[in-house]
Amino acid sequence: MALAQTTETPIGVGAQQRSVSPWIAKQAPNLLLGLVLVLLPAVANDFILDQILGWTLILGMIALSLMFLAGYGGMVSLAQMSVAGVSGYMIAVLGTSSLPKISLFWPWWVAAPLSIGIAVLFGTFAGALSARTEGIYTIMITLALAAAFFYLTLQNWPVFNGFNGFTTIPAPHFLGVNWRDPVPLYYMILFFAALSYAVVLYLSRSPFGLALQGVRDNPRRMEAIGYNVTAHRIAAYAFAALIAAVGGILMVWLNNQISPFSIGIDVVINLLVIAVVGGLSHPIGPFIGALIYVILRTFALDALVAVGLDGRRFQTLIGLGFLIIVLFSPDGVVGIWRRLSERARAAGGRNGA
Amino acid sequence: MSTIAERLAAAGTGNAIELRGVSRFFGALAALIDVTLSVRPGERRAVLGSNGAGKTTLLNCVTGDFPPSSGTVRFFGEDVTILPPHERIRRGLRRTYQISLLFQGLSVRDNVYLACRGCSRGRYSFIRTRANDAIMQSVADLISLVHLEAVADRLVGELAHGQQRQLEIALALAGAPRFILLDEPAAGLSPNERGDLVAILTALPSHIGYIIIEHDMDVALRVVESVTMMHNGRIFKEGAPREIEADPEVQQLYLGGGHG
Amino acid sequence: MTQAFGDQGADQAPGRGSAPAEWIGRNPVAALVIAVAIILALWLVLAPWPAGFEDVFGKKRLFINALFNGITLGGLYFLVATGFTLIFGLMRNVNLAHGSLYLFGGYMGYEAGQWTGSWLFSYVIAFVCCALIGMAMQFLIFRRMEGQDLRQTLVTLGLSIIFSDLMVWVWGGNAIQIDTPDYLVGPVPTPIVVAVKSSGEAVFLQYPRVRLVIFAASVVIGIAMWLALHRTRIGVMIRAGVDDRDMLSVLGYRVQLLFVAVFAFGAGLAGMAGIVGGTFQSISLGEDSHFLLASLVVVIVGGMGSIPGAALGALIIGCSEQFGLVYFQNYATVLSFLIMIIVLAIRPQGLLGRR
């Protein structure tokens, strides 16, 4: 069972049937999901919107950046949470927070793009360090980088304010809307999550995305047919960093604070758990994984106590779930879904559909 | 098959590949010792020898998989000794591998597409290629050239061995190759498939030269006009196929002469 | 040609004289720089510091203490990192549960010490417990995932999450210190001058005996491993496997036995290191992550799959941490990571690693 087999329709073939109705038929599940998410605020309360869905979409986005690198590129980068952390910290430092002696209070339309830019630079740097080594080293190097960033934020006070971090980092007002309110914030998060999902899905069949998959499958052959494998990998890290960076800013606006413990090693590892459990072979995987994680995190305490176990053993639960997936369905929930639908199709075929 | 003279005239003068004093050591093991070799543009040459004679190492030095321990490599007059592989590809060098190096998770069409894209612009493009783009036509042409139309949209992992070897050749023909290195293309092929291979190779445009490494003398000698024999890392004989086949020293070293 | 674990690099023609001499010939400037650095280091350590020098750089006592602490800490890091690099080098498995094994060994050693009163015996218990876990991991789980490097690593990750949480459950969040046995307590006089009294009399460094003993033990273990790898048949198999894993498959069923043995040994070493760490400092929740990260950094700096590399990396990181603590308080850990980043940028395979 491969961890990621990401090919769907062959290039050129699907595009030939560019009339509208078949395209809608193929995109139906995505569109339906989109519709449900857009209409959700009508029925859901603020808690569900912010704490459940907001976190799901944000963690999903950051995990999507991991999935892009790991699923399409074969590079399991544990630095993505740190990239999000960089942009999250930068928006606090450059923009508004409760610490006037550090924050610069620049307007959001200056602070946000700058923060994203700095985070992308950091992500590209992480890629440059790990791109020249074999795939299995990537996990080691990026984990060490994530730890380095954690210790930096923990021990540095002039810029990162040490273990206190920053609080009161609000989303801005613009277009007459207070984006801090639950419903507008939800739509903003939904917009960026959907956008990144769509872009990653589209990119997977573009020359860049296909080349990345080639690099994953056989870097030596890619060199032998004219690709600069290292450059391609670094470019992939840069693109993934963009998604993680946007996720980082949204995370800070939702959470209203950031500290070293938002980006500590356990959070970094949980992000990998999310991506793997959801499935590395399709962009919807990270979001599925994030939903499972957020629901578990919110309700696990009560559930564990209800069965008579210690409510604090949440991490054991996570570890067990993760282990079960890796042992029995390494391509995650997406993989389970795929196998079930193949079996259903085969059964339908046998019964003379 | 046009005469050598005609083909040379078409391809221009100067050597396509030139190795001078190339040696390659792995620790204390000498894989190549002072190899000097030149191949003209459009020439079809076989490099033969027993296992461990240094044939694959020779190929690896030419493609840039690793640099030689000493000596120079020139490709169409340019010194490429320390150039990375993808740069040599851009200059028209291609290679196939003894054990197919394909993209297992992608379809046949995607594999060929990647090879075509590799030497064209737009490798980093974020925009999907439209079906009527010229490159898709090249992809389709290459697929029919190696007779893989029937399985064009299947994943490589599902192909039979012979089909994978054919795909391997298609990847080397993508873009505008000027010279191809073929590493035991006939390995593991059935007699029918070997016939196919010979047909594909002899049908190649005359300006494309190649070096073919083979154990199967039958296939090799049918598709080349000159032969280089290697032994223990050195070149020990060069000549026309018939000469080499009949040579007593060669026959002594490789029992049974030209029928390996 | 096996080149693992400290053999010389590739691309040499035969019969060219000894490798170090050749290296000096090819890199005269680097050799000169290293020679000067060694002479400087020897002077710094052995000679009393002149007063003006001490005004600028601080007391020699501080420096010598940091140096000795760094070297002995390096011994501890070597014990942990060596198991990690062995498992990675041979089985291509990034054992992210290595820190958990360290911590578990420390806890078990502590319990054994409480129960029997013997510090030495606790090492045996820790080694055996962790070796058994390592054996189980390789035999029950990883054997079925032969060739799937990433998947194995993810399994170690899942296990480390579970182990970590279970250990918090059993032993809580308190820091536990393992007592130094009586026969090792107390300082040992050394011939290193740390200061000169106004009377002209030299003051010599007194250093804790237990730290010196443990460092000596690490060196002995390191040498023993090197000998085992280079002089025994199993050692040859391991080095060959690190070089070229496919070649090992030719050897058939023994391969799995080898993997189990290596995993067990590496895990056992980590467990023993846990007792060392508990004696030097303390063990508590969070130390598993700390020592996993330390192993990562040491192995990245020293070279992946290389035991001399683990020794070199451990020494560098141990010293950088201690010097960082003394001279750059706020950024002690960041200094180690900085070294790691520099090594990655200049020589991605590590100082003694092979490409």
Side-chain angles (χ1 to χ4, degrees):
Chain A
M1 266 183 275
L3 274 169
Q5 198 155 38
T6 46
T7 284
E8 287 161 34
T9 47
I11 200 171
V13 170
Q16 223 149 14
Q17 303 134 313
R18 195 54 89 90
S19 50
V20 179
S21 27
W23 181 81
I24 286 195
K26 182 167 170 276
Q27 297 302 329
N30 289 332
L31 294 176
L32 197 61
L33 181 64
L35 199 63
V36 166
L37 287 173
V38 165
L39 297 177
L40 215 47
V43 297
N45 62 34
D46 287 350
F47 174 78
I48 293 188
L49 281 185
D50 271 356
Q51 294 308 315
I52 308 270
L53 286 168
W55 271 109
T56 297
L57 290 170
I58 288 175
L59 285 175
M61 263 183 86
I62 305 177
L64 178 68
S65 78
L66 201 168
M67 174 263 155
F68 179 76
L69 288 174
Y72 293 130
M75 308 176 277
V76 181
S77 160
L78 288 172
Q80 300 313 105
M81 198 66 207
S82 306
V83 173
V86 169
S87 74
Y89 262 103
M90 285 300 109
I91 192 99
V93 168
L94 299 174
T96 320
S97 84
S98 58
L99 288 173
K101 64 179 166 76
I102 300 182
S103 298
L104 297 176
F105 288 88
W106 290 351
W108 64 270
W109 42 271
V110 174
L114 258 180
S115 307
I116 294 178
I118 296 174
V120 168
L121 277 174
F122 175 75
T124 312
F125 173 69
L129 285 182
S130 44
R132 287 178 297 160
T133 56
E134 266 176 63
I136 195 68
Y137 298 156
T138 301
I139 260 194
M140 288 172 59
I141 295 173
T142 52
L143 180 58
L145 280 174
F149 182 63
F150 168 73
Y151 281 113
L152 178 64
T153 58
L154 189 66
Q155 294 173 343
N156 173 290
W157 291 84
V159 176
F160 293 99
N161 204 32
F163 67 71
N164 288 323
F166 292 82
T167 55
T168 324
I169 315 162
H173 289 249
F174 64 93
L175 296 182
V177 178
N178 179 3
W179 295 91
R180 230 178 302 169
D181 288 335
V183 175
L185 187 60
Y186 169 77
Y187 277 122
M188 180 162 62
I189 297 173
L190 178 62
F191 171 73
F192 283 108
L195 182 64
S196 40
Y197 171 74
V199 168
V200 167
L201 202 55
Y202 176 83
L203 217 57
S204 65
R205 305 293 312 168
S206 68
F208 178 68
L210 268 179
L212 193 60
Q213 292 170 70
V215 164
R216 171 198 69 200
D217 282 350
N218 210 319
R220 188 176 173 206
R221 199 56 197 274
M222 287 301 278
E223 286 273 346
I225 54 178
Y227 292 86
N228 183 337
V229 164
T230 304
H232 244 97
R233 285 181 173 149
I234 297 180
Y237 270 94
F239 174 73
L242 181 61
I243 299 179
V246 173
I249 294 186
L250 292 172
M251 176 174 77
V252 152
W253 282 347
L254 176 66
N255 212 14
N256 216 20
Q257 56 110 346
I258 188 164
S259 76
F261 306 102
S262 319
I263 45 138
I265 295 303
D266 42 350
V267 180
V268 164
I269 289 185
N270 282 340
L271 193 73
L272 178 63
V273 171
I274 287 175
V276 171
V277 166
L280 290 175
S281 57
H282 190 283
I284 198 72
F287 291 99
I288 295 177
L291 183 63
I292 296 176
Y293 175 78
V294 169
I295 289 185
L296 265 181
R297 184 174 73 176
T298 316
F299 299 112
L301 181 70
D302 300 322
L304 280 171
V305 169
V307 264
L309 291 170
D310 188 346
R312 290 168 301 169
R313 300 280 76 83
F314 174 62
Q315 283 293 114
T316 302
L317 206 62
I318 296 264
L320 269 172
F322 180 65
L323 211 55
I324 290 175
I325 288 281
V326 174
L327 288 173
F328 300 110
S329 176
D331 38 3
V333 170
V334 167
I336 295 177
W337 178 267
R338 275 220 178 108
R339 277 192 293 284
L340 285 178
S341 28
E342 266 166 32
R343 235 174 268 173
R345 239 180 295 153
R350 272 201 304 274
N351 295 341
Chain B
M1 196 143 111
S2 50
T3 67
I4 301 172
E6 285 170 40
R7 296 224 298 280
L8 279 179
T13 51
N15 285 323
I17 295 196
E18 198 174 304
L19 272 66
R20 284 213 204 123
V22 167
S23 301
R24 172 70 194 179
F25 298 97
F26 295 99
L29 178 71
L32 288 179
I33 304 176
D34 201 24
V35 168
T36 296
L37 178 78
S38 14
V39 185
R40 294 182 305 282
E43 183 180 338
R44 279 96 198 272
R45 163 118 26 139
V47 171
L48 306 176
S50 55
N51 278 331
K55 313 187 294 293
T56 301
T57 310
L58 180 69
L59 236 53
N60 285 335
C61 282
V62 177
T63 56
D65 278 21
F66 43 68
S69 305
S70 60
T72 58
V73 179
R74 298 190 107 82
F75 184 65
F76 281 93
E78 191 187 344
D79 188 338
V80 298
T81 315
I82 50 172
L83 222 52
H86 63 265
E87 288 294 335
R88 305 187 197 200
I89 307 309
R90 309 260 172 88
R91 287 156 169 75
L93 184 65
R94 299 280 185 279
R95 167 185 182 161
T96 70
Y97 292 82
Q98 200 172 346
I99 301 176
S100 302
L101 288 186
L102 303 168
F103 306 112
Q104 300 285 335
L106 300 176
S107 69
V108 168
R109 197 183 300 275
D110 285 342
N111 272 253
V112 178
Y113 173 78
L114 278 177
C116 290
R117 263 276 171 245
C119 9
S120 73
R121 307 183 60 218
R123 282 188 304 277
Y124 292 96
S125 171
F126 275 28
I127 312 291
R128 289 190 184 182
T129 305
R130 305 190 66 88
N132 50 18
D133 191 307
I135 205 174
M136 300 311 300
Q137 188 56 50
S138 314
V139 171
D141 290 342
L142 272 173
I143 293 180
S144 29
L145 188 71
V146 292
H147 316 311
L148 285 178
E149 303 98 319
V151 293
D153 294 312
R154 297 254 286 272
L155 292 183
V156 165
E158 299 165 22
L159 293 183
H161 175 75
Q163 292 170 319
Q164 290 192 1
R165 301 301 283 155
Q166 283 163 275
L167 179 58
E168 183 73 18
I169 307 244
L171 294 188
L173 295 176
R178 293 203 281 175
F179 204 93
I180 308 179
L181 305 167
L182 299 145
D183 196 346
E184 300 203 30
L189 293 186
S190 69
N192 274 347
E193 288 164 340
R194 278 165 207 229
D196 254 348
L197 174 67
V198 170
I200 294 175
L201 287 179
T202 44
L204 286 181
S206 53
H207 69 274
I208 299 180
Y210 53 74
I211 293 179
I212 177 170
I213 288 182
E214 250 315 329
H215 269 130
D216 184 336
M217 298 246 198
D218 268 343
V219 165
L221 298 179
R222 274 198 280 167
V223 298
V224 301
E225 67 221 34
S226 53
V227 177
T228 297
M229 298 274 338
M230 288 187 71
H231 188 62
N232 285 341
R234 290 181 207 274
I235 296 189
F236 100 99
K237 204 149 282 234
E238 294 189 291
R242 294 281 151 251
E243 289 169 23
I244 296 288
E245 249 189 316
D247 187 294
E249 264 185 309
V250 171
Q251 284 183 7
Q252 190 183 31
L253 270 177
Y254 305 103
L255 302 132
H259 302 286
Chain C
M1 275 294 121
T2 58
Q3 298 162 31
F5 295 131
D7 286 0
Q8 297 309 313
D11 305 355
Q12 285 170 296
R16 280 262 207 105
S18 76
E22 206 203 283
W23 185 87
I24 292 179
R26 271 188 296 174
N27 303 280
V29 177
L32 186 66
V33 169
I34 291 184
V36 169
I38 291 180
I39 294 176
L40 188 64
L42 283 173
W43 177 81
L44 276 174
V45 171
L46 296 175
W49 288 11
F53 193 79
E54 281 202 337
D55 290 336
V56 176
F57 291 102
K59 295 260 169 248
K60 181 177 182 184
R61 174 187 296 274
L62 222 53
F63 172 80
I64 292 293
N65 263 309
L67 183 66
F68 270 66
N69 287 345
I71 293 179
T72 49
L73 183 63
L76 171 58
Y77 282 160
F78 173 71
L79 286 176
V80 191
T82 236
F84 184 79
T85 207
L86 253 181
I87 294 173
F88 175 75
L90 182 63
M91 279 101 76
R92 280 282 182 266
N93 187 351
V94 182
N95 181 20
L96 294 175
H98 210 68
S100 310
L101 290 165
Y102 165 89
L103 189 59
F104 184 65
Y107 280 133
M108 291 311 283
Y110 170 73
E111 298 295 345
Q114 298 287 90
W115 183 49
T116 67
S118 163
W119 187 70
L120 281 179
F121 185 65
S122 57
Y123 279 99
V124 176
I125 297 285
F127 184 91
V128 168
C129 288
C130 291
L132 282 173
I133 296 181
M135 259 194 259
M137 280 166 69
Q138 175 62 34
F139 187 72
L140 295 176
I141 307 180
F142 300 135
R143 190 176 49 142
R144 303 168 200 283
M145 297 181 190
E146 191 47 42
Q148 302 177 50
D149 306 336
L150 179 61
R151 198 168 166 207
Q152 293 184 8
T153 298
L154 291 180
V155 168
T156 64
L157 186 62
L159 287 173
S160 83
I161 296 176
I162 298 175
F163 287 164
S164 191
D165 203 43
L166 290 180
M167 282 194 279
V168 170
W169 189 29
V170 174
W171 281 286
N174 301 321
I176 292 180
Q177 170 108 54
I178 298 182
D179 295 324
T180 313
D182 292 331
Y183 52 89
L184 284 181
V185 167
V188 155
T190 72
I192 312 276
V193 177
V194 286
V196 179
K197 292 210 263 223
S198 44
S199 58
E201 194 191 328
V203 178
F204 293 98
L205 173 72
Q206 309 263 53
Y207 200 68
R209 180 177 287 123
V210 62
R211 291 185 79 106
L212 287 176
V213 165
I214 287 179
F215 177 70
S218 322
V219 172
V220 168
I221 291 179
I223 294 180
M225 278 200 298
W226 192 90
L227 285 174
L229 280 173
H230 287 254
R231 302 267 185 270
T232 69
R233 196 154 159 261
I234 290 187
V236 172
M237 278 171 76
I238 294 179
R239 282 156 62 222
V242 167
D243 248 353
D244 186 344
R245 212 172 22 164
D246 299 325
M247 195 170 111
L248 265 197
S249 58
V250 170
L251 301 167
Y253 76 97
R254 286 246 187 94
V255 173
Q256 280 307 324
L257 200 62
L258 187 66
F259 285 3
V260 169
V262 168
F263 210 111
F265 180 70
L269 262 187
M272 293 205 301
I275 299 182
V276 172
T279 316
F280 272 13
Q281 310 160 342
S282 64
I283 46 172
S284 63
L285 85 92
E287 289 298 302
D288 47 356
S289 294
H290 175 202
F291 275 85
L292 172 66
L293 287 170
S295 304
L296 282 182
V297 177
V298 163
V299 164
I300 290 174
V301 166
M304 332 247 189
S306 161
I307 292 196
L312 181 61
L315 233 74
I316 292 177
I317 296 301
C319 287
S320 88
E321 260 189 39
Q322 289 300 310
F323 279 101
L325 260 176
V326 169
Y327 293 105
F328 313 108
Q329 282 103 346
N330 265 356
Y331 299 105
T333 10
V334 175
L335 181 61
S336 307
F337 286 114
L338 211 61
I339 294 178
M340 178 192 86
I341 290 176
I342 293 174
V343 170
L344 274 174
I346 301 179
R347 199 181 148 89
Q349 69 268 39
L351 291 173
L352 297 182
R354 322 162 293 114
R355 228 184 222 283

Coordinates of all heavy atoms in Angstrom, one line a residue, chain B residues 24-30 69, chain C residues 1 3 9-14:
Chain B
R24 N 38.0 5.9 -13.5 CA 37.0 6.0 -12.4 C 37.3 5.0 -11.4 O 37.4 3.8 -11.7 CB 35.6 5.9 -12.9 CG 34.6 5.8 -11.8 CD 34.4 7.1 -11.1 NE 33.6 6.9 -9.9 CZ 33.3 7.9 -9.0 NH1 33.6 9.1 -9.3 NH2 32.6 7.6 -8.0
F25 N 37.6 5.4 -10.1 CA 37.9 4.5 -9.0 C 36.8 4.5 -8.0 O 36.3 5.5 -7.7 CB 39.2 4.8 -8.4 CG 40.4 4.7 -9.3 CD1 40.9 5.9 -10.0 CD2 41.0 3.5 -9.6 CE1 41.9 5.8 -10.8 CE2 42.0 3.4 -10.5 CZ 42.5 4.6 -11.1
F26 N 36.5 3.4 -7.4 CA 35.6 3.3 -6.3 C 36.5 2.7 -5.1 O 36.7 1.5 -5.0 CB 34.4 2.4 -6.5 CG 33.5 2.9 -7.6 CD1 33.6 2.3 -8.9 CD2 32.6 3.8 -7.3 CE1 32.7 2.8 -9.8 CE2 31.7 4.3 -8.3 CZ 31.8 3.8 -9.6
G27 N 37.1 3.6 -4.3 CA 38.0 3.2 -3.3 C 39.2 2.5 -4.0 O 39.9 3.2 -4.8
A28 N 39.5 1.3 -3.8 CA 40.6 0.6 -4.4 C 40.2 -0.1 -5.7 O 41.0 -0.6 -6.5 CB 41.2 -0.4 -3.5
L29 N 38.9 -0.1 -6.0 CA 38.4 -0.8 -7.2 C 38.5 0.1 -8.4 O 38.0 1.2 -8.4 CB 37.0 -1.2 -7.0 CG 36.3 -1.9 -8.2 CD1 36.9 -3.3 -8.4 CD2 34.8 -2.0 -8.0
A30 N 39.2 -0.3 -9.5 CA 39.3 0.5 -10.7 C 38.3 0.0 -11.7 O 38.4 -1.1 -12.2 CB 40.7 0.3 -11.3
S69 N 37.1 10.0 -12.1 CA 38.2 10.4 -11.1 C 39.3 11.2 -11.8 O 40.0 12.0 -11.2 CB 38.8 9.1 -10.6 OG 37.8 8.3 -10.0
Chain C
M1 N 33.2 -2.5 -1.9 CA 34.1 -1.8 -0.8 C 33.2 -1.2 0.2 O 32.4 -0.3 -0.2 CB 34.9 -0.7 -1.5 CG 36.2 -1.2 -2.1 SD 37.3 -1.8 -0.9 CE 37.6 -3.4 -1.5
Q3 N 32.2 1.3 3.0 CA 32.8 2.6 3.4 C 32.1 3.1 4.6 O 32.2 4.3 4.9 CB 32.6 3.6 2.3 CG 33.4 3.2 1.0 CD 32.8 3.9 -0.2 OE1 32.4 5.1 -0.1 NE2 32.9 3.3 -1.3
G9 N 36.9 7.8 2.4 CA 35.9 8.1 1.3 C 36.3 7.4 0.0 O 37.4 6.8 -0.2
A10 N 35.5 7.7 -1.0 CA 35.7 7.0 -2.4 C 36.7 7.8 -3.2 O 37.3 8.8 -2.7 CB 34.3 7.0 -3.1
D11 N 36.8 7.4 -4.4 CA 37.6 8.2 -5.4 C 39.1 8.2 -5.2 O 39.7 9.2 -5.5 CB 37.1 9.7 -5.5 CG 35.6 9.7 -5.8 OD1 35.0 8.6 -6.0 OD2 35.0 10.8 -5.8
Q12 N 39.6 7.2 -4.5 CA 41.0 7.2 -4.4 C 41.6 6.2 -5.3 O 41.1 5.1 -5.4 CB 41.4 6.8 -3.0 CG 41.2 7.8 -1.9 CD 41.4 7.2 -0.6 OE1 40.7 6.3 -0.2 NE2 42.4 7.6 0.1
A13 N 42.7 6.5 -6.0 CA 43.4 5.5 -6.7 C 44.2 4.6 -5.8 O 44.5 5.1 -4.7 CB 44.4 6.2 -7.7
P14 N 44.4 3.4 -6.1 CA 45.1 2.5 -5.2 C 46.5 2.9 -5.0 O 47.1 3.5 -5.9 CB 45.0 1.2 -5.9 CG 44.8 1.5 -7.3 CD 44.1 2.8 -7.4

